[in-house]
Amino acid sequence: LPENLTVLGDSAFAECDSLQSVTIQGAPAMGNRIFESCDSLENVDLGNVTNIGEYTFYACAIANLVIPNTGERAFLDSAIVEIIIPDSVTSIGESAFSECDSLIGVTIGTGVTSIPDCAFYSCDKLRGIYIGKNVTHIGASAFYGSRNLTDLIFRGTKAQWKNIEFDDYWMWSTNITQVLCTDGFRDAYVSPRE
């Protein structure tokens, strides 16, 4: 897409079954559902895009992507395999990566301070996640149902982990028992009485 493009409107390429690759050269404003149900879309270069709207990559076949700020359900049910959220990103939308059944690894940079409700809900193959040291809140059911999730690495200290605000069921139906912090392991569950 050309560099002088200023807006990608809602559903601009939705259901384009033969679309396999997209390169965005500028930084257009992004609407919602732009690439929804593009079954063959595997390669995306977002250029300088800083925000992704809701359902943008819903039911797409994307494997790997460096993620900008995302809207709610931006990648719901997509085939993405690995997610890298760079330090420049400050927000992840609610349910942004829910039901991504091919997702196996996530890295969340230091710009994110909150992992919202259902962010990685029911990601069946998710095994490991790196969480940046500036996260202070993990929302309800953030990893709920991600049954193969065993490795949680927090890039802060055990004391910082203890001070995170955890909402209900954030790790329910996972196999997380401990978190690796920069100064050692600790129990993943933090009691309100600690």
Side-chain angles (χ1 to χ4, degrees), residues 57-115:
F57 293 102
Y58 173 74
C60 288
I62 298 168
N64 302 301
L65 187 63
V66 176
I67 308 293
N69 292 316
T70 62
E72 292 182 9
R73 299 171 196 83
F75 291 88
L76 177 70
D77 194 30
S78 77
I80 196 161
V81 174
E82 182 179 5
I83 297 168
I84 299 170
I85 301 173
D87 294 344
S88 59
V89 170
T90 58
S91 67
I92 300 171
E94 188 173 303
S95 301
F97 304 100
S98 288
E99 300 175 27
C100 290
D101 293 334
S102 299
L103 183 62
I104 59 171
V106 175
T107 300
I108 299 174
T110 58
V112 173
T113 58
S114 179
I115 299 173

Side-chain angles (χ1 to χ4, degrees), residues 5 14 24 30 33 36 50 53 62 65 67 93 101 110 115 119 155-156 167 182 192:
L5 183 68
I24 300 173
M30 304 271 286
R33 301 178 181 270
E36 177 182 15
T50 57
I62 298 168
L65 187 63
I67 308 293
D101 293 334
T110 58
I115 299 173
R155 295 187 172 168
D167 288 348
T182 57

